[in-house]
Amino acid sequence: MEWKKLVDVLKGHVVYLQTHNFPDPDALASAYGLQVFLKAHGVEASICYAGKIDKSSTRHMLDVFGIKAIHIDDIDNMAEDDYIVTVDAQKHNSNIADFTGSEVACIDHHPTTIPCEYRYSDIRICGACCSIVTDYFIQSETELDENTATALLYGLRMDTNSFNRGVTDFDIEIFAYLHKLADNQKIINMHNNTMEIEDLHAYGEAIRNIVIYENIGYAMIPFDCPDALIAMISDFILSLDVVEFSIIYAKRNGGYKFSVRNETEGYHAGKVTEEALRGLGGGGGHSCMAGGMITAENVPLLGVDPDYTIRQRFYEVIKAAGEASDNS
Ligand SMILES: [Mn+2]
């Protein structure tokens, strides 16, 4: 009984559930689900994060479901022997700040880039962290109320782009379970209101700047925008019939932030991004979705035409990967 081990590790301690920085709906909903689950088993925990919740639809979700997520700046009493569970993220990753407490547990659905020892770890590659947290309710036969079920289903739906991205059989089993318990109309309403007027400016730039090389779509957005928005635009460009691999990047802090999507069998978005951005910042992720960055100090390495160099680097890695898979 895995879930029992988690409860045993945490019992009697001050517990924080830490999401990655700039938490998205899956991070917040899975942290919330875990908070409700732990409470049912006698463990009180607080949800915390660094960075900011940068989409208004995500902030709205906190009100709709009554989720209390505390910014690290508003926590002044975290102690070294307080326990942290990383949720939808793993310690040592570039997207999660290192807080004072001790990371004793990790629940995540991303591949591991830098391994870490935890007293409890549940890392399963699936569509959303919400699926793993829901499984705890099922395995332990803990009652799941409508509000929590709705939040978990919303997180699952958002992180899988409505079951179109990274979905496994496990996610579908979880979907069937949550669907019976959740307020499905509420999810549809929320899902239909995730686009903001300012988002359209970024879409406009991406459309204006799109470059297509064979089956690869590239677009640069010349201003900073939230990670979630860059990801939405990457999904949007991937939806073009001629594009099977999309690379969208926005200017950020003098460098660039990337969101990469792949819909082919032959390529791996995470490996391609890691390879293409090696020595420039870094990147990685799943087979179908990845993220990355080029830091400001490395921008001069891109030469006089940074966009061309970026396109060329990705193109070469993708073509080499395609040839390797053709020969295997
Ligand atoms: Mn997630």
Side-chain angles (χ1 to χ4, degrees), residues 16-322:
Y16 292 95
L17 310 177
Q18 183 186 357
T19 71
H20 45 79
N21 310 334
F22 305 95
D24 59 17
D26 182 42
L28 291 166
S30 53
Y32 177 63
L34 189 61
Q35 183 184 44
V36 171
F37 172 80
L38 289 172
K39 189 169 181 169
H41 295 276
V43 176
E44 296 279 346
S46 314
I47 301 168
C48 64
Y49 66 98
K52 84 186 221 278
I53 299 171
D54 54 11
K55 288 216 57 158
S56 72
S57 56
T58 309
R59 289 193 298 273
H60 177 60
M61 162 192 171
L62 300 182
D63 296 334
V64 169
F65 298 117
I67 299 172
K68 191 168 171 237
I70 313 168
H71 192 275
I72 189 64
D73 291 350
D74 299 323
I75 301 173
D76 49 18
N77 57 349
M78 195 188 288
E80 272 174 40
D81 54 2
D82 289 347
Y83 279 3
I84 292 175
V85 183
T86 64
V87 181
D88 197 33
Q90 297 175 33
K91 185 178 163 75
H92 300 314
N93 278 7
S94 59
N95 68 348
I96 184 164
D98 188 7
F99 291 169
T100 309
S102 162
E103 292 85 353
V104 295
C106 169
I107 298 173
D108 189 24
H109 70 119
H110 298 94
T112 301
T113 40
I114 303 167
C116 176
E117 286 280 325
Y118 306 95
R119 291 182 55 195
Y120 175 89
S121 129
D122 187 355
I123 300 170
R124 300 185 227 174
I125 306 301
C126 58
C129 199
C130 282
S131 294
I132 302 173
V133 170
T134 306
D135 196 36
Y136 288 5
F137 284 90
I138 300 173
Q139 297 304 328
S140 61
E141 296 177 20
T142 304
E143 193 190 323
L144 180 51
D145 65 273
E146 184 186 82
N147 183 59
T148 309
T150 309
L152 287 165
L153 186 47
Y154 181 67
L156 171 57
R157 184 164 171 167
M158 291 296 287
D159 232 33
T160 57
N161 188 22
S162 301
F163 304 96
N164 287 308
R165 182 176 60 213
V167 185
T168 62
D169 291 347
F170 171 61
D171 296 302
I172 298 302
E173 278 169 36
I174 295 294
F175 169 67
Y177 180 79
L178 290 175
H179 188 261
K180 289 190 214 105
L181 301 172
D183 179 342
N184 292 287
Q185 191 56 46
K186 191 183 257 183
I187 291 174
I188 293 166
N189 293 346
M190 288 176 72
H191 200 261
N192 287 342
N193 291 293
T194 48
M195 181 94 87
E196 295 155 38
I197 285 285
E198 302 91 80
D199 296 353
L200 291 184
H201 299 302
Y203 272 84
E205 286 299 323
I207 292 166
R208 223 163 53 84
N209 295 332
I210 189 165
V211 174
I212 296 176
Y213 278 4
E214 297 172 21
N215 56 348
I216 311 165
Y218 302 87
M220 192 271 287
I221 303 163
F223 45 80
D224 192 11
C225 30
D227 286 8
L229 176 57
I230 310 174
M232 278 162 66
I233 295 174
S234 205
D235 286 325
F236 170 69
I237 297 297
L238 190 70
S239 70
L240 282 168
D241 58 354
V242 291
V243 173
E244 295 186 311
F245 200 101
S246 73
I247 299 151
I248 309 305
Y249 52 104
K251 285 201 173 154
R252 178 176 297 172
N253 301 331
Y256 299 97
K257 170 72 197 171
F258 286 75
S259 175
V260 176
R261 294 288 184 269
N262 162 48
E263 62 185 21
T264 67
E265 291 280 331
Y267 311 141
H268 188 291
K271 289 179 189 160
V272 165
T273 308
E274 188 184 344
E275 180 76 32
L277 298 180
R278 182 163 295 151
L280 294 175
H286 297 259
S287 147
C288 55
M289 59 193 290
M293 63 197 297
I294 296 177
T295 52
E297 68 265 26
N298 289 322
V299 168
L301 298 174
L302 299 172
V304 289
D305 189 348
D307 296 310
Y308 178 79
T309 309
I310 288 167
R311 292 199 293 267
Q312 214 44 39
R313 284 182 77 118
F314 274 93
Y315 182 81
E316 278 162 19
V317 175
I318 291 168
K319 287 300 131 183

